[in-house]
Every structure is written in structure tokens, then in C-alpha cells.
């Protein structure tokens, strides 16, 4: 990939680089923004509130930020942590880091100081760029880790304050900007994204420039329907792989406009989509539920061309309601941080098959394997339930400094997802559940998603999560936590009866808890482990 301008005099040349000699190809994720700035300079790249930023402006500001980071000592291969919400400074810092040949380490914006300290230490970050509103935890976490801090979005006009870190905006004003990005070996690490830590401490998945660029190109060539001039809602958190790759990187590669929301709620998102005439929405199931709730308070609707759902399985009842209310098809896909992320999709241009996650994207194999075979990948016949395994151009380099975890996750070239599913004769894949979420009651396998699908059909249920708690008699008992719609009058006992009338006796929840909200992780997934901990009182029941 060729830089759009001549390299700066002080940037290393390919001849000087040991890891990228002249006979090797080069690549950079920073080229996404550089190329679009050259091709579509006057097109609007980002909208935040009433502020519009063109591609040319965003790239110039990015190069200025890169110059400031270079002046603070950031060099090729260094890790720069980012604690930023969905604002224009996220892409500025992200692409500035990559333009220097450094590695971007986005940090979940709701982490507390000890959690931030862990990410900074584990990643080996040399610097944290932190939004001023997040400095209370961000600066404290950086201090614990012994990492320097630079802020953005601070109200002060000067470069440094007596009681806070230097401001990146002021540093950029006085530093010499880069003129282009530094080329990297295609398989150099571009990003380190931390998993949600559902099984122990979070692990840093290393994404290569090649994997991230190939993912974007595959999204645009054969997966999504996205073009220059499209307007996308940037509601997914950009520190997470879904929003970062599918919304930001893919959107900028196409020359689209991204309407960024610093914080998601259904009413604000719906209003923004209507105001800016968004044609594409990407979200996780909880966002779809929030938009449906918001739609009960206004008749205004955006002119959506289609919507993309991922991150977790979308209940069929929610999908059907959304398509009816917003008059737009939903295309479900599937992926993980470790797969950059998209592995399968209900490809746009073909009628989606509701309830499935579609077929593998171009260049990627997704099969069903025997989950009990730990040391080798043993594929099972079509139609049988097993573990989804993935191989292709989208795989991570590995888990940072965790060779044993990497070896356990990638076997015979296949990434083991931990998700259970089936694949039909047409190649369409259906997720059954996470292996760790499966409930075993009296020796019978119960898949929570099947029970959640039934609960979602109840007209007074807004959200539902089904989980297993320890039980002295049955091994595990099935329980559910639900969020009800406004003015709902249904009782927990009525919900138990409702589900028991629809599925086998060993599957329905014996207890339903009505809660104000479900605990959510950084990608919008329900944290069932939190529900298990909350409701695991040692109660013995002897019912069916």
C-alpha cells in the first residue's frame, strides 16, 4: 500500500528497517484514513453533535497528533493506550498511533483504575491518551502502572495545567506533524484488544495490519452494502472490535460519514438517525431493544436501508419487531475479537435467514468440531451440534505474552470459539449457545438461548437472560432475569407458566427475577456470570 505523500525526512525508510526490508510487502491500517482523505477530501467523515469534520481535516489533525506523540517519544512498535469515548478524537489518536508505526491499545471506557492498571501493565503501554472526563480513573490507573498520561477534550486552552496532564491538542499545535504514515510489515501487530475476561483475566488479542485491512476489504467487497456517501450511526463503542472494524475502519475505507454518539441510549440514537438520515445501523441486541423502546415515544423514523446485528444472538421476536417498526431488514453476523471480528454474515444482496448467523465471509472457513477433542480439531457431520472453529486471513497473531493460551485457542490452524452451533447443508450456521453458558439439569443439556427466544415473544418482556445456578438435587437449576416494558403488569409466576407451556418440562425456568437492567459487558453482551453470582442462593427445589 503506497503512502499518499512523500515520507518525512526523519521517518525511517524501508532500507533502514530491519523488519521490513525492500523485498517485503508493507501495509498500514493508517492507510485507510490517508487514502480516503486523498480521494474524498471534502466529504464529511465524522459528525459529533453539531461538529462536522471532513476527511482532509481529520487526516491533517491525525498527522498533527502523530507529530505530538512522536515528540513525546512514541516510536515504532511502542504501545499507546487510548481511553476515549466515541468522539472524533478516537480516530485521530487511533490512526496517529498507527501512522507512527506504533500499536494502538484501546481501553474500555468504563473500567476502574485497577482494571486500567492491568491493561497498561499487561500491554506494556508507554503512554495513555485519556479523555478529560475519564481522567479520574484513567490517570489513577496510569499512576499505578507508572505510565505517562496525555489528555484530550480538556476545557483549558493552554498546553499544560498545574493540576493535570499535558493536552494533546496543545502539544500538536507546537509539534512538527508527520507527512504520511510509517509502513509496517503486514503481520506486525497493529492493535491489542482485550477480551472481556469471562474466563479469568482479560487477554490481549494482537491484530495484525494484514488481518484488519483484509477484514475491511472483505466487508466492502462481498459482505456489506456500504458505499461512499452512506451515513452510519457510530453507536457501537469504538474501543471494541465490532465498532472499531465494522463501523470506523470499514466506514472510512468506503468514504462514508459516521455519526458518533459518545454515549448510547435509545432516544438519543433514534433522534440522531432521523436528524442525519442514517441509512445503516450496526448494533448489538440490547441496542435493538432500546431502539424499539424509543420508537414507542415518537413517530419519527430514519430511512434505514438495512441494519447489522452482532455481538450476541438477536432473539427472533426482536428481529421481527424491528423490521416491522423500522421497515428495514436486519442482517446478522458473527465474530470475535480474535477474528478481527467478522467470520460469518447474512451477506447483503441475499435474503437473510433469520435465526442464523449466515455463511462464512470470503476467505474464511467456519466449521463445527467436537468440543471434547482438546488436542486436535475433529469435525462433526452437518447438522450436528458442536463447537464453531474458524481459520482464515482474519485470525489474530495470538494472545500477547500468553503462548499457552494461544496454543490452546488455535489448534491445527483453527481458532476454537467456545460457541456451540450447527451448520446446515447450505452452509448457514446457527448459534446454539456458549459452551460455558450451557445448563445441565438432571443430565439434560439446556441451551439458554432457546429459552430466551420464548421469553422474548412475551409482549411485556423487553429483555431476558437465562442462566443456571447450582442446585443440590438437579445439579443446576434454570432461572431467568427479565426487564419488563413500561407499565407491564405480568408477574414472575405468569412468565414461568408462559414459558412452560411452550417448551419441554426440563427446559423452562423455575424462577424468574424481574430486574431494572441486565448487567452488560463492553460489547453489550449480557454478563451472565454476574447474574449467577447474584442469584445463586442455595435453595433446594423439588419441582419438575
Amino acid at each position: 500500500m503506497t503512502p499518499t505523500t512523500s515520507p518525512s525526512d526523519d521517518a525511517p525508510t524501508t532500507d533502514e528497517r530491519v523488519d521490513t526490508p525492500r523485498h517485503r510487502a508493507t501495509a498500514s491500517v493508517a492507510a485507510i484514513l490517508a487514502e480516503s482523505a486523498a480521494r474524498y477530501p471534502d466529504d464529511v467523515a465524522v459528525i459529533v453533535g453539531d461538529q462536522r469534520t471532513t476527511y482532509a481535516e481529520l487526516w491533517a489533525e491525525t498527522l498533527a497528533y502523530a507529530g505530538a506523540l512522536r515528540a513525546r517519544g512514541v516510536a515504532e512498535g511502542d504501545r499507546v493506550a487510548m481511553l476515549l469515548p466515541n468522539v472524533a478524537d478516537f480516530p485521530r489518536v487511533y490512526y496517529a498511533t498507527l501512522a507512527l508505526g506504533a500499536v494502538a491499545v484501546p481501553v474500555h471506557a468504563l473500567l476502574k483504575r485497577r482494571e486500567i492498571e492491568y491493561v497498561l501493565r499487561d500491554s506494556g503501554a508507554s503512554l495513555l491518551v485519556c479523555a478529560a472526563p475519564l481522567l479520574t480513573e484513567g490517570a489513577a490507573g496510569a499512576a499505578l502502572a507508572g505510565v505517562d498520561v496525555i489528555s484530550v477534550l480538556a476545557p483549558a486552552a493552554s498546553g499544560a495545567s498545574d493540576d493535570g496532564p499535558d493536552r494533546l491538542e496543545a502539544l500538536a499545535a507546537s509539534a512538527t506533524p508527520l507527512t504520511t504514515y510509517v509502513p509496517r510489515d503486514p503481520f506486525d501487530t497493529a492493535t491489542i484488544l482485550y477480551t472481556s475476561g469471562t474466563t479469568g483475566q482479560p487477554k490481549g488479542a494482537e491484530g495484525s495490519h494484514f488481518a484488519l485491512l483484509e477484514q475491511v476489504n472483505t466487508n466492502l467487497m462481498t459482505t456489506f452494502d456500504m458505499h461512499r456517501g452512506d451515513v452510519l450511526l457510530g453507536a457501537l463503542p469504538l474501543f471494541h472490535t465490532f465498532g472499531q472494524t465494522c463501523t470506523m475502519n470499514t466506514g472510512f475505507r468506503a468514504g462514508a460519514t459516521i455519526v458518533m454518539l459518545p454515549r448510547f441510549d435509545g432516544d438519543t440514537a433514534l433522534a440522531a438517525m432521523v436528524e442525519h438520515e442514517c441509512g445503516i445501523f450496526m448494533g448489538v441486541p440490547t441496542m435493538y431493544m432500546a431502539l424499539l423502546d424509543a420508537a414507542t415515544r415518537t413517530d419519527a423514523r430514519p430511512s434505514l436501508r438495512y441494519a447489522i446485528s452482532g455481538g450476541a444472538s438477536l432473539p427472533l421476536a426482536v428481529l421481527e419487531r424491528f423490521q416491522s417498526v423500522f421497515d428495514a431488514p436486519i442482517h446478522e453476523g458473527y465474530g470475535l475479537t480474535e477474528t478481527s471480528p467478522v467470520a460469518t454474515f447474512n451477506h447483503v444482496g441475499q435474503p437473510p435467514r433469520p435465526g442464523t448467523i449466515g455463511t462464512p465471509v470470503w476467505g474464511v472457513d467456519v466449521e463445527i468440531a467436537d468440543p471434547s477433542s482438546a488436542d486436535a480439531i475433529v469435525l462433526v457431520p452437518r447438522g450436528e451440534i458442536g463447537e464453531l472453529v474458524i481459520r482464515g486471513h482474519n485470525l489474530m497473531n495470538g494472545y500477547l505474552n500468553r503462548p499457552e493460551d494461544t496454543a490452546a485457542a488455535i489448534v491445527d490452524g483453527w481458532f476454537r470459539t467456545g460457541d456451540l452451533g450447527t451448520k446446515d447443508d447450505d452452509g448457514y450456521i446457527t448459534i446454539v449457545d456458549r459452551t460455558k453458558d450451557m445448563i445441565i439439569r438432571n443430565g439434560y443439556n439446556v441451551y439458554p438461548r432457546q429459552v430466551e427466544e420464548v421469553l422474548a415473544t412475551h409482549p411485556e418482556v423487553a429483555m431476558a437472560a437465562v442462566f443456571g445456578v447450582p442446585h443440590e438435587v438437579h445439579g443446576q437449576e434454570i432461572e431467568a432475569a427479565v426487564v419488563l416494558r413500561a407499565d407491564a403488569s405480568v408477574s414472575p409466576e405468569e412468565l414461568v407458566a408462559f414459558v412452560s407451556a411452550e417448551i419441554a418440562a426440563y427446559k423452562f425456568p423455575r424462577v424468574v427475577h424481574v430486574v431494572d437492567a441486565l448487567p452488560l459487558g463492553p460489547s453489550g453482551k449480557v454478563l451472565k456470570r454476574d447474574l449467577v453470582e447474584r442469584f445463586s442462593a442455595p435453595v433446594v427445589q423439588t419441582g419438575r
Side-chain angles (χ1 to χ4, degrees), residues 257-276:
T257 297
I258 301 175
V259 180
M260 292 187 179
L261 292 185
R263 184 169 183 170
F264 177 85
D265 70 75
D267 295 286
T268 302
L270 179 53
M273 284 196 290
V274 171
E275 177 185 357
H276 298 291

mmCIF file of all heavy atoms in Angstrom, residues 257-276:
data_model
loop_
_atom_site.group_PDB
_atom_site.id
_atom_site.type_symbol
_atom_site.label_atom_id
_atom_site.label_comp_id
_atom_site.label_asym_id
_atom_site.label_seq_id
_atom_site.Cartn_x
_atom_site.Cartn_y
_atom_site.Cartn_z
ATOM 1 N N THR A 257 -19.935 8.594 6.002
ATOM 2 C CA THR A 257 -19.994 9.542 7.109
ATOM 3 C C THR A 257 -20.450 8.800 8.359
ATOM 4 O O THR A 257 -21.459 8.088 8.330
ATOM 5 C CB THR A 257 -20.971 10.693 6.809
ATOM 6 O OG1 THR A 257 -20.504 11.432 5.682
ATOM 7 C CG2 THR A 257 -21.104 11.622 8.009
ATOM 8 N N ILE A 258 -19.708 8.965 9.455
ATOM 9 C CA ILE A 258 -20.044 8.278 10.708
ATOM 10 C C ILE A 258 -20.568 9.300 11.708
ATOM 11 O O ILE A 258 -19.867 10.258 12.059
ATOM 12 C CB ILE A 258 -18.820 7.542 11.273
ATOM 13 C CG1 ILE A 258 -18.292 6.519 10.262
ATOM 14 C CG2 ILE A 258 -19.187 6.847 12.586
ATOM 15 C CD1 ILE A 258 -17.008 5.828 10.678
ATOM 16 N N VAL A 259 -21.805 9.090 12.135
ATOM 17 C CA VAL A 259 -22.415 9.935 13.170
ATOM 18 C C VAL A 259 -22.102 9.287 14.511
ATOM 19 O O VAL A 259 -22.657 8.248 14.855
ATOM 20 C CB VAL A 259 -23.935 10.053 12.966
ATOM 21 C CG1 VAL A 259 -24.554 10.937 14.061
ATOM 22 C CG2 VAL A 259 -24.250 10.605 11.579
ATOM 23 N N MET A 260 -21.181 9.881 15.266
ATOM 24 C CA MET A 260 -20.707 9.260 16.502
ATOM 25 C C MET A 260 -21.550 9.696 17.700
ATOM 26 O O MET A 260 -21.884 10.880 17.845
ATOM 27 C CB MET A 260 -19.244 9.599 16.761
ATOM 28 C CG MET A 260 -18.290 8.971 15.775
ATOM 29 S SD MET A 260 -16.565 9.235 16.252
ATOM 30 C CE MET A 260 -15.728 8.365 14.913
ATOM 31 N N LEU A 261 -21.880 8.743 18.551
ATOM 32 C CA LEU A 261 -22.566 9.010 19.808
ATOM 33 C C LEU A 261 -21.610 8.711 20.948
ATOM 34 O O LEU A 261 -21.200 7.561 21.130
ATOM 35 C CB LEU A 261 -23.805 8.119 19.954
ATOM 36 C CG LEU A 261 -24.976 8.368 19.013
ATOM 37 C CD1 LEU A 261 -26.142 7.474 19.413
ATOM 38 C CD2 LEU A 261 -25.405 9.821 19.022
ATOM 39 N N PRO A 262 -21.224 9.722 21.728
ATOM 40 C CA PRO A 262 -20.323 9.467 22.863
ATOM 41 C C PRO A 262 -20.893 8.481 23.860
ATOM 42 O O PRO A 262 -20.159 7.743 24.513
ATOM 43 C CB PRO A 262 -20.139 10.853 23.490
ATOM 44 C CG PRO A 262 -20.423 11.812 22.372
ATOM 45 C CD PRO A 262 -21.501 11.153 21.552
ATOM 46 N N ARG A 263 -22.226 8.471 23.976
ATOM 47 C CA ARG A 263 -22.874 7.525 24.882
ATOM 48 C C ARG A 263 -24.206 7.111 24.288
ATOM 49 O O ARG A 263 -24.986 7.955 23.842
ATOM 50 C CB ARG A 263 -23.072 8.160 26.261
ATOM 51 C CG ARG A 263 -23.657 7.207 27.284
ATOM 52 C CD ARG A 263 -23.589 7.801 28.668
ATOM 53 N NE ARG A 263 -24.082 6.853 29.672
ATOM 54 C CZ ARG A 263 -23.965 7.032 30.974
ATOM 55 N NH1 ARG A 263 -23.358 8.118 31.435
ATOM 56 N NH2 ARG A 263 -24.439 6.144 31.821
ATOM 57 N N PHE A 264 -24.482 5.809 24.292
ATOM 58 C CA PHE A 264 -25.691 5.310 23.636
ATOM 59 C C PHE A 264 -26.874 5.287 24.583
ATOM 60 O O PHE A 264 -26.781 4.845 25.727
ATOM 61 C CB PHE A 264 -25.457 3.888 23.110
ATOM 62 C CG PHE A 264 -26.699 3.279 22.488
ATOM 63 C CD1 PHE A 264 -27.015 3.523 21.169
ATOM 64 C CD2 PHE A 264 -27.566 2.491 23.249
ATOM 65 C CE1 PHE A 264 -28.159 2.982 20.603
ATOM 66 C CE2 PHE A 264 -28.708 1.947 22.690
ATOM 67 C CZ PHE A 264 -29.006 2.199 21.360
ATOM 68 N N ASP A 265 -27.997 5.790 24.095
ATOM 69 C CA ASP A 265 -29.302 5.450 24.665
ATOM 70 C C ASP A 265 -30.288 5.485 23.502
ATOM 71 O O ASP A 265 -30.051 6.155 22.481
ATOM 72 C CB ASP A 265 -29.714 6.384 25.805
ATOM 73 C CG ASP A 265 -30.044 7.786 25.328
ATOM 74 O OD1 ASP A 265 -31.119 7.986 24.742
ATOM 75 O OD2 ASP A 265 -29.223 8.699 25.554
ATOM 76 N N GLY A 266 -31.372 4.752 23.647
ATOM 77 C CA GLY A 266 -32.272 4.560 22.526
ATOM 78 C C GLY A 266 -32.856 5.848 21.970
ATOM 79 O O GLY A 266 -32.916 6.046 20.746
ATOM 80 N N ASP A 267 -33.294 6.765 22.843
ATOM 81 C CA ASP A 267 -33.922 8.001 22.384
ATOM 82 C C ASP A 267 -32.932 8.880 21.631
ATOM 83 O O ASP A 267 -33.247 9.423 20.562
ATOM 84 C CB ASP A 267 -34.503 8.755 23.582
ATOM 85 C CG ASP A 267 -35.634 7.993 24.250
ATOM 86 O OD1 ASP A 267 -36.729 7.942 23.681
ATOM 87 O OD2 ASP A 267 -35.398 7.430 25.329
ATOM 88 N N THR A 268 -31.707 9.011 22.173
ATOM 89 C CA THR A 268 -30.690 9.831 21.507
ATOM 90 C C THR A 268 -30.291 9.224 20.166
ATOM 91 O O THR A 268 -30.129 9.934 19.166
ATOM 92 C CB THR A 268 -29.448 9.970 22.407
ATOM 93 O OG1 THR A 268 -29.836 10.543 23.650
ATOM 94 C CG2 THR A 268 -28.390 10.829 21.746
ATOM 95 N N ALA A 269 -30.139 7.903 20.139
ATOM 96 C CA ALA A 269 -29.738 7.232 18.900
ATOM 97 C C ALA A 269 -30.808 7.378 17.824
ATOM 98 O O ALA A 269 -30.494 7.669 16.661
ATOM 99 C CB ALA A 269 -29.479 5.751 19.181
ATOM 100 N N LEU A 270 -32.062 7.197 18.196
ATOM 101 C CA LEU A 270 -33.138 7.322 17.211
ATOM 102 C C LEU A 270 -33.214 8.753 16.684
ATOM 103 O O LEU A 270 -33.348 8.972 15.465
ATOM 104 C CB LEU A 270 -34.463 6.906 17.849
ATOM 105 C CG LEU A 270 -35.709 6.991 16.950
ATOM 106 C CD1 LEU A 270 -35.494 6.225 15.651
ATOM 107 C CD2 LEU A 270 -36.928 6.448 17.698
ATOM 108 N N ALA A 271 -33.099 9.732 17.567
ATOM 109 C CA ALA A 271 -33.135 11.125 17.128
ATOM 110 C C ALA A 271 -31.978 11.446 16.189
ATOM 111 O O ALA A 271 -32.150 12.158 15.183
ATOM 112 C CB ALA A 271 -33.101 12.051 18.346
ATOM 113 N N ALA A 272 -30.787 10.936 16.485
ATOM 114 C CA ALA A 272 -29.615 11.188 15.630
ATOM 115 C C ALA A 272 -29.791 10.539 14.264
ATOM 116 O O ALA A 272 -29.432 11.133 13.229
ATOM 117 C CB ALA A 272 -28.355 10.669 16.307
ATOM 118 N N MET A 273 -30.335 9.337 14.229
ATOM 119 C CA MET A 273 -30.549 8.664 12.945
ATOM 120 C C MET A 273 -31.548 9.415 12.086
ATOM 121 O O MET A 273 -31.400 9.507 10.864
ATOM 122 C CB MET A 273 -31.003 7.227 13.168
ATOM 123 C CG MET A 273 -29.891 6.289 13.594
ATOM 124 S SD MET A 273 -30.324 4.545 13.398
ATOM 125 C CE MET A 273 -31.542 4.343 14.689
ATOM 126 N N VAL A 274 -32.585 9.963 12.717
ATOM 127 C CA VAL A 274 -33.579 10.726 11.973
ATOM 128 C C VAL A 274 -32.974 12.034 11.474
ATOM 129 O O VAL A 274 -33.102 12.397 10.300
ATOM 130 C CB VAL A 274 -34.812 10.998 12.853
ATOM 131 C CG1 VAL A 274 -35.761 11.980 12.158
ATOM 132 C CG2 VAL A 274 -35.543 9.692 13.173
ATOM 133 N N GLU A 275 -32.269 12.757 12.364
ATOM 134 C CA GLU A 275 -31.708 14.057 12.003
ATOM 135 C C GLU A 275 -30.710 13.953 10.862
ATOM 136 O O GLU A 275 -30.707 14.787 9.942
ATOM 137 C CB GLU A 275 -31.022 14.681 13.225
ATOM 138 C CG GLU A 275 -30.347 16.017 12.925
ATOM 139 C CD GLU A 275 -29.576 16.574 14.110
ATOM 140 O OE1 GLU A 275 -29.599 15.962 15.202
ATOM 141 O OE2 GLU A 275 -28.928 17.638 13.945
ATOM 142 N N HIS A 276 -29.848 12.946 10.900
ATOM 143 C CA HIS A 276 -28.773 12.841 9.916
ATOM 144 C C HIS A 276 -29.086 11.864 8.787
ATOM 145 O O HIS A 276 -28.215 11.581 7.961
ATOM 146 C CB HIS A 276 -27.476 12.446 10.620
ATOM 147 C CG HIS A 276 -27.026 13.451 11.632
ATOM 148 N ND1 HIS A 276 -26.571 14.703 11.297
ATOM 149 C CD2 HIS A 276 -26.988 13.385 13.000
ATOM 150 C CE1 HIS A 276 -26.252 15.368 12.395
ATOM 151 N NE2 HIS A 276 -26.494 14.601 13.437
#
